[in-house]
Amino acid sequence: RSGAMSSSAGILSSVARVLDRATWIDLACDTLDVSDAPRAVEPHAVVDVKQRRGDLLRDGCALMSRKELLGDDDGDLELDALLQTMYAIRDAGLDPTWVYMYDATWRVVERFRASLEDECFGGAMTLNFDVLAWFVDPANDDKTTAFTPHRDRQPDNAPGSFHADGMAKYCTIWLPLTNATPRNSCLFCVPKGIDPGYTAGDSDDLDGPSPLEIALKDKAAYQSLR
């Protein structure tokens, strides 16, 4: 593949090279577009709103199928080409975030924005474009690429980060393109029911037990992990 012959040193050698559409189109072997005005994507939302809102209110997390998140027809999202381009980015020694150069990335973001923001949350949330990307090699279970346990956006006033009905005002979406496994990068969630800090916030006492120790206080609690 011509794209695999590129290197980070060559691609990042000048601002002009980075800003040249041809650089990124070549890296993707002419399978993905890079434009100033990407074509629009229809929502095609098929979210089970009642079920998913119930999951979020009860557990603070929800597992959604590819069909729910991306719709009945996701062929226009070019997921296979996007996945192969992620390999090309990796092979070129580039950080995975360079996948943001491609229109296809933002079509995926727009599809699940519409599915969740409009359908599931009824317009109560707005995409803030805080988008991150990692490369997870499904063929290498021994190489982890994950974070240590953490909370996303723990504010000083944790109770104030929820609506009156208990729905969180902030939601993180994780979308794997490769077959992530529990050994190499599968996402785990501690459900709301066993996590006192989810709504009340965590203690600032550095000498006390950690939030994870409080939530997973015995073997039975581990069975609740999602």
Side-chain angles (χ1 to χ4, degrees):
R1 301 186 316 165
S2 62
M5 299 301 293
S6 302
S7 68
S8 59
I11 292 174
L12 304 181
S13 60
S14 69
V15 173
R17 185 85 193 277
V18 171
L19 296 179
D20 186 354
R21 290 192 183 96
T23 298
W24 303 102
I25 292 173
D26 177 65
L27 186 65
C29 299
D30 296 319
T31 60
L32 295 177
D33 296 328
V34 178
S35 67
D36 292 329
R39 58 184 172 81
V41 173
E42 295 298 323
H44 293 298
V46 289
V47 178
D48 186 336
V49 176
K50 183 178 180 180
Q51 178 66 47
R52 296 305 162 231
R53 284 186 63 86
D55 293 342
L56 290 170
L57 284 168
R58 183 187 66 249
D59 297 327
C61 58
L63 178 64
M64 301 179 69
S65 67
R66 172 168 167 163
K67 179 179 178 180
E68 280 189 287
L69 198 58
L70 300 178
D72 280 312
D73 179 14
D74 59 23
D76 59 337
L77 296 180
E78 304 168 295
L79 294 179
D80 290 338
L82 194 60
L83 173 58
Q84 293 306 312
T85 299
M86 284 293 288
Y87 279 101
I89 290 172
R90 187 275 309 268
D91 293 344
L94 293 168
D95 189 272
T97 52
W98 286 104
V99 76
Y100 303 161
M101 297 297 291
Y102 297 98
D103 297 352
T105 299
W106 299 106
R107 280 195 287 272
V108 171
V109 172
E110 169 57 21
R111 178 63 63 81
F112 61 63
R113 181 212 63 77
S115 297
L116 293 179
E117 183 179 310
D118 296 341
E119 297 294 323
C120 198
F121 295 106
M125 286 195 178
T126 301
L127 176 68
N128 67 359
F129 292 94
D130 183 3
V131 182
L132 302 176
W134 292 267
F135 182 86
V136 178
D137 189 347
N140 190 351
D141 273 350
D142 294 325
K143 183 178 180 181
T144 59
T145 55
F147 285 114
T148 55
H150 66 282
R151 293 193 193 280
D152 284 346
R153 305 209 174 219
Q154 174 73 68
D156 292 334
N157 178 22
S161 63
F162 294 87
H163 293 287
D165 64 355
M167 182 64 74
K169 295 179 180 179
Y170 181 86
C171 179
T172 300
I173 302 168
W174 181 70
L175 174 68
L177 294 178
T178 58
N179 293 320
T181 73
R183 283 177 58 85
N184 67 13
S185 193
C186 190
L187 187 70
F188 289 91
C189 291
V190 178
K192 171 183 175 180
I194 64 169
D195 180 11
Y198 177 81
T199 52
D202 298 318
S203 171
D204 293 327
D205 182 7
L206 299 180
D207 296 323
S210 70
L212 198 60
E213 290 173 320
I214 294 173
L216 303 177
K217 58 185 178 182
D218 52 39
K219 290 183 178 180
Y222 281 86
Q223 303 305 312
S224 298
L225 288 175
R226 299 288 188 268

